[in-house]
Amino acid sequence: MCPPADQTNGVTKDEMVPIDNSNTPHIPPPTNETNGKSEPPPVKSHKGVYGRASDFLSNTSNWKIIESTLREGEQFANAFFTLEKKIEIAKMLDEFGVEYIELTSPAASPESRAHCEAICKLGLKRTKILTHIRCHMDDARLAVETGVDGVDVVIGTSSFLREHSHGKDMTWITKTAIEVIEFVKSKGIEIRFSSEDSFRSELVDLLSIYRTVDKIGVNRVGVADTVGCADPRQVYDLVRTLRGVVSCDIETHFHNDTGCAIANAYAALEAGATHVDTSVLGIGERNGITPLGGLIARMMVADPEYVKSKYNLSMLREIENCVAEAVEISVPFNNYITGFCAFTHKAGIHAKAILANPSTYEILNPADFGMTRYVSIGHRLTGWNAVRSRVDQLNLNLTDDQVKDATAKIKELADVRTQSMEDVDMILRIYHTGIHSGELKVGQSAVLDKLLDKHMPSRETSPSRANGANGTPAKRPRVEETA
């Protein structure tokens, strides 16, 4: 699960320095001089008069999320959602602000149909409810009876699926698609038609059927990388070509088997797609699909104001915790935005820069997501600037030379064992007391060792344990920021 604000997986808040940069603008450091005043460097836009033609098609600032945790996510190996859990997740996603929630086909089982009907009756404030069905009239009839706002129709179009899955040719697929689409449209609800395994389908087949369904009035056509084989260049080329063929919206669905799901989704939006399918934590069949948090992270860089205006970003951690618990997994340490390492800084040079301006080593502002950045200091890579920050937080009166001297001891002890924040605070307080009582002066490492032994007798890594095998003091590490 994602860590709460005061704890992280395997690393507690007490082992890190929380950095308060609430009053520090999250912008790159100024580099230009104009009229004697420092100003940020000018931003170069690629959307000018002489920009690429494709720029005019880009939807990186105009797109919608179709959240499929309750459809694609049910196909995840560990997933089993009760109705109560589905309702909880649906309400959270609605509060987050996703435009659509996609549910498992009511034709899958009696329970699936009952769950679909129940969620449709919730009266969600922002979110429309869709269900995902096969291109079959029986499925379509069941779907429209549940009260959904729209139906997502899919059928395999690649030679692999036509031969080994449903066994139908493109003529049959086109005829059946028209029948299902016209039926759903007659009920006054949204309809999307998607090919399955789009990137292993023949381009001429895809464009032919997409053009046909566009002419009869689908709301969206869908492109699906069902096996995760596509790369961003292929995605851009296909969606760009499709954008020139259809006038309706374009939905995209990317599996993550080869690690390209987020990049593919972004490339699709650049090429003119309008909708992206996601799931919380990316759960789904096999390695899953584009993760909700990962897409949000990518799009925040593209247009932060647009994203912040649409979505309740502080909800993201709560949603991910809920889903992680339901499917019995932990949120990865390097998860986008909410992983416990996402905004943790360790190396000395990084820490120094972060303390001056967070934008130096952060492209995302944790405050936008209700998260907090930390600088970890109880280790051999720590720098004195990070320790200085902790000294100031503890209201200890030490000069820079004294902080550097204390940092040297922290690094020396951390060469044996990483020091917890409690250890670091004790070292700093003992050092401070020794300096101001006159018992200790800068550079008196042996005296500091005695003070630490006296006041921290139970610590696992005493100075004597940090010494060499013959009892002589171990060589002190150089005191410097480490990249």
Side-chain angles (χ1 to χ4, degrees):
M1 295 174 65
C2 303
D6 61 348
Q7 184 176 345
T8 56
N9 292 12
V11 182
T12 64
K13 182 179 178 181
D14 289 339
E15 295 171 340
M16 298 180 178
V17 178
I19 303 301
D20 182 8
N21 289 107
S22 57
N23 296 320
T24 303
H26 201 268
I27 58 174
T31 58
N32 285 1
E33 294 288 334
T34 305
N35 299 325
K37 297 182 180 180
S38 296
E39 294 183 356
V43 176
K44 295 181 180 180
S45 173
H46 66 284
K47 294 186 177 181
V49 175
Y50 300 103
R52 295 177 298 134
S54 56
D55 289 342
F56 298 102
L57 299 175
S58 176
N59 281 318
T60 56
S61 296
N62 182 26
W63 44 274
K64 294 179 174 63
I65 291 173
I66 296 180
E67 226 302 313
S68 192
T69 300
L70 300 182
R71 198 280 295 177
E72 177 73 46
E74 279 210 294
Q75 296 171 212
F76 176 61
N78 283 8
F80 178 81
F81 297 127
T82 64
L83 175 58
E84 292 71 24
K85 182 58 66 175
K86 286 184 179 180
I87 289 173
E88 181 183 4
I89 292 170
K91 287 181 176 179
M92 283 185 175
L93 291 171
D94 180 51
E95 186 176 349
F96 180 82
V98 300
E99 290 81 2
Y100 295 90
I101 292 174
E102 186 179 60
L103 304 178
T104 296
S105 170
S109 73
E111 279 292 285
S112 295
R113 177 174 181 173
H115 291 182
C116 188
E117 292 172 344
I119 292 174
C120 287
K121 293 176 182 177
L122 290 178
L124 300 180
K125 299 176 183 178
R126 311 180 189 181
T127 306
K128 292 182 179 181
I129 303 299
L130 308 173
T131 189
H132 184 272
I133 67 168
R134 298 169 297 180
C135 189
H136 195 285
M137 280 300 296
D138 290 344
D139 287 16
R141 291 188 184 95
L142 278 176
V144 299
E145 291 171 359
T146 61
V148 293
D149 299 299
V151 175
D152 292 343
V153 176
V154 65
I155 190 166
T157 52
S158 71
S159 59
F160 296 92
L161 297 183
R162 296 208 313 265
E163 180 178 353
H164 301 292
S165 179
H166 53 71
K168 307 298 183 182
D169 61 20
M170 289 303 300
T171 300
W172 184 94
I173 290 172
T174 302
K175 178 181 178 182
T176 305
I178 292 171
E179 182 183 13
V180 171
I181 291 165
E182 289 183 338
F183 170 74
V184 174
K185 279 175 57 64
S186 73
K187 302 300 180 179
I189 60 178
E190 291 188 23
I191 177 69
R192 178 218 72 189
F193 173 84
S194 179
S195 61
E196 189 181 18
D197 203 9
S198 306
F199 290 88
R200 296 193 297 176
S201 300
E202 293 293 332
L203 181 59
V204 65
D205 291 338
L206 288 180
L207 298 183
S208 175
I209 195 166
Y210 286 142
R211 184 184 289 111
T212 298
V213 299
D214 180 47
K215 286 181 178 179
I216 63 174
V218 293
N219 297 90
R220 298 182 304 283
V221 292
V223 173
D225 184 19
T226 308
V227 297
C229 66
D231 62 43
R233 179 190 59 79
Q234 292 172 309
V235 170
Y236 186 92
D237 288 347
L238 177 56
V239 175
R240 172 69 180 86
T241 300
L242 180 57
R243 183 72 284 168
V245 170
V246 301
S247 59
C248 61
D249 287 341
I250 300 175
E251 179 182 338
T252 56
H253 181 94
F254 297 106
H255 278 259
N256 204 36
D257 299 73
T258 58
C260 289
I262 297 171
N264 284 345
Y266 186 74
L269 293 176
E270 282 191 306
T274 55
H275 295 65
V276 177
D277 293 2
T278 69
S279 68
V280 177
L281 297 173
I283 64 171
E285 190 79 18
R286 305 183 313 280
N287 285 349
I289 64 170
T290 308
L292 174 63
L295 179 69
I296 291 295
R298 175 61 257 174
M299 303 316 296
M300 275 289 284
V301 176
D303 193 336
E305 296 309 314
Y306 178 75
V307 176
K308 289 190 284 187
S309 72
K310 291 181 69 180
Y311 303 113
N312 182 1
L313 300 179
S314 62
M315 283 286 300
L316 185 60
R317 181 173 58 188
E318 183 181 355
I319 294 169
E320 291 185 342
N321 280 342
C322 176
V323 172
E325 181 179 14
V327 298
E328 300 179 341
I329 62 172
S330 296
V331 174
F333 72 92
N334 61 342
N335 194 54
Y336 319 95
I337 300 169
T338 60
F340 77 84
C341 288
F343 298 108
T344 296
H345 304 273
K346 184 174 180 179
I349 290 176
H350 289 233
K352 178 182 179 181
I354 281 290
L355 292 168
N357 187 320
S359 292
T360 51
Y361 285 103
E362 287 178 357
I363 196 62
L364 300 172
N365 186 348
D368 288 336
F369 308 94
M371 304 293 290
T372 304
R373 72 177 58 85
Y374 293 96
V375 174
S376 176
I377 63 175
H379 52 84
R380 63 177 61 145
L381 303 181
T382 196
W384 76 270
N385 288 281
V387 177
R388 166 94 266 174
S389 175
R390 187 58 175 172
V391 166
D392 293 342
Q393 289 176 3
L394 296 174
N395 293 317
L396 303 179
N397 182 20
L398 295 175
T399 67
D400 284 352
D401 285 343
Q402 291 164 351
V403 172
K404 291 176 182 178
D405 193 39
T407 301
K409 179 57 65 177
I410 293 169
K411 290 166 76 77
E412 177 184 317
L413 298 177
D415 259 341
V416 179
R417 175 183 63 83
T418 297
Q419 304 295 294
S420 70
M421 186 56 71
E422 181 181 10
D423 291 335
V424 171
D425 288 353
M426 283 293 292
I427 293 168
L428 293 175
R429 288 191 173 102
I430 291 168
Y431 188 94
H432 178 267
T433 300
I435 287 289
H436 287 277
S437 68
E439 294 179 83
L440 177 66
K441 296 185 183 300
V442 171
Q444 293 182 332
S445 180
V447 175
L448 178 56
D449 283 343
K450 291 179 181 179
L451 291 173
L452 293 176
D453 276 338
K454 178 181 178 180
H455 296 288
M456 299 175 67
S458 63
R459 63 198 179 99
E460 293 180 25
T461 309
S462 66
S464 61
R465 290 186 174 90
N467 289 341
N470 61 358
T472 59
K475 184 178 180 181
R476 177 182 297 174
R478 294 175 60 193
V479 181
E480 61 183 6
E481 285 82 28
T482 308

mmCIF file of all heavy atoms in Angstrom, residues 102 153 193 217 268 463:
data_model
loop_
_atom_site.group_PDB
_atom_site.id
_atom_site.type_symbol
_atom_site.label_atom_id
_atom_site.label_comp_id
_atom_site.label_asym_id
_atom_site.label_seq_id
_atom_site.Cartn_x
_atom_site.Cartn_y
_atom_site.Cartn_z
ATOM 1 N N GLU A 102 -15.492 2.095 -16.491
ATOM 2 C CA GLU A 102 -15.885 0.969 -17.325
ATOM 3 C C GLU A 102 -16.048 -0.281 -16.471
ATOM 4 O O GLU A 102 -15.166 -0.607 -15.669
ATOM 5 C CB GLU A 102 -14.820 0.726 -18.404
ATOM 6 C CG GLU A 102 -15.206 -0.339 -19.410
ATOM 7 C CD GLU A 102 -14.128 -0.533 -20.465
ATOM 8 O OE1 GLU A 102 -12.987 -0.891 -20.098
ATOM 9 O OE2 GLU A 102 -14.429 -0.332 -21.657
ATOM 10 N N VAL A 153 -18.041 -1.672 -27.367
ATOM 11 C CA VAL A 153 -18.081 -2.906 -28.148
ATOM 12 C C VAL A 153 -16.683 -3.218 -28.668
ATOM 13 O O VAL A 153 -15.976 -2.321 -29.138
ATOM 14 C CB VAL A 153 -19.050 -2.760 -29.336
ATOM 15 C CG1 VAL A 153 -19.021 -4.001 -30.208
ATOM 16 C CG2 VAL A 153 -20.459 -2.483 -28.829
ATOM 17 N N PHE A 193 -16.908 1.612 -30.735
ATOM 18 C CA PHE A 193 -16.507 0.374 -31.394
ATOM 19 C C PHE A 193 -14.985 0.311 -31.410
ATOM 20 O O PHE A 193 -14.323 1.255 -31.849
ATOM 21 C CB PHE A 193 -17.020 0.290 -32.826
ATOM 22 C CG PHE A 193 -16.472 -0.913 -33.551
ATOM 23 C CD1 PHE A 193 -17.086 -2.142 -33.405
ATOM 24 C CD2 PHE A 193 -15.328 -0.817 -34.332
ATOM 25 C CE1 PHE A 193 -16.570 -3.272 -34.044
ATOM 26 C CE2 PHE A 193 -14.801 -1.937 -34.967
ATOM 27 C CZ PHE A 193 -15.420 -3.165 -34.823
ATOM 28 N N GLY A 217 -22.298 6.721 -37.015
ATOM 29 C CA GLY A 217 -22.505 7.562 -35.844
ATOM 30 C C GLY A 217 -22.021 7.059 -34.504
ATOM 31 O O GLY A 217 -22.630 7.385 -33.476
ATOM 32 N N ALA A 268 -0.305 8.675 -28.338
ATOM 33 C CA ALA A 268 -1.643 8.663 -28.937
ATOM 34 C C ALA A 268 -2.322 10.020 -28.803
ATOM 35 O O ALA A 268 -2.947 10.521 -29.751
ATOM 36 C CB ALA A 268 -2.496 7.574 -28.289
ATOM 37 N N PRO A 463 31.068 4.137 18.531
ATOM 38 C CA PRO A 463 32.330 4.447 17.881
ATOM 39 C C PRO A 463 33.326 3.308 17.965
ATOM 40 O O PRO A 463 34.099 3.081 17.042
ATOM 41 C CB PRO A 463 32.820 5.680 18.648
ATOM 42 C CG PRO A 463 31.568 6.340 19.126
ATOM 43 C CD PRO A 463 30.652 5.198 19.470
#
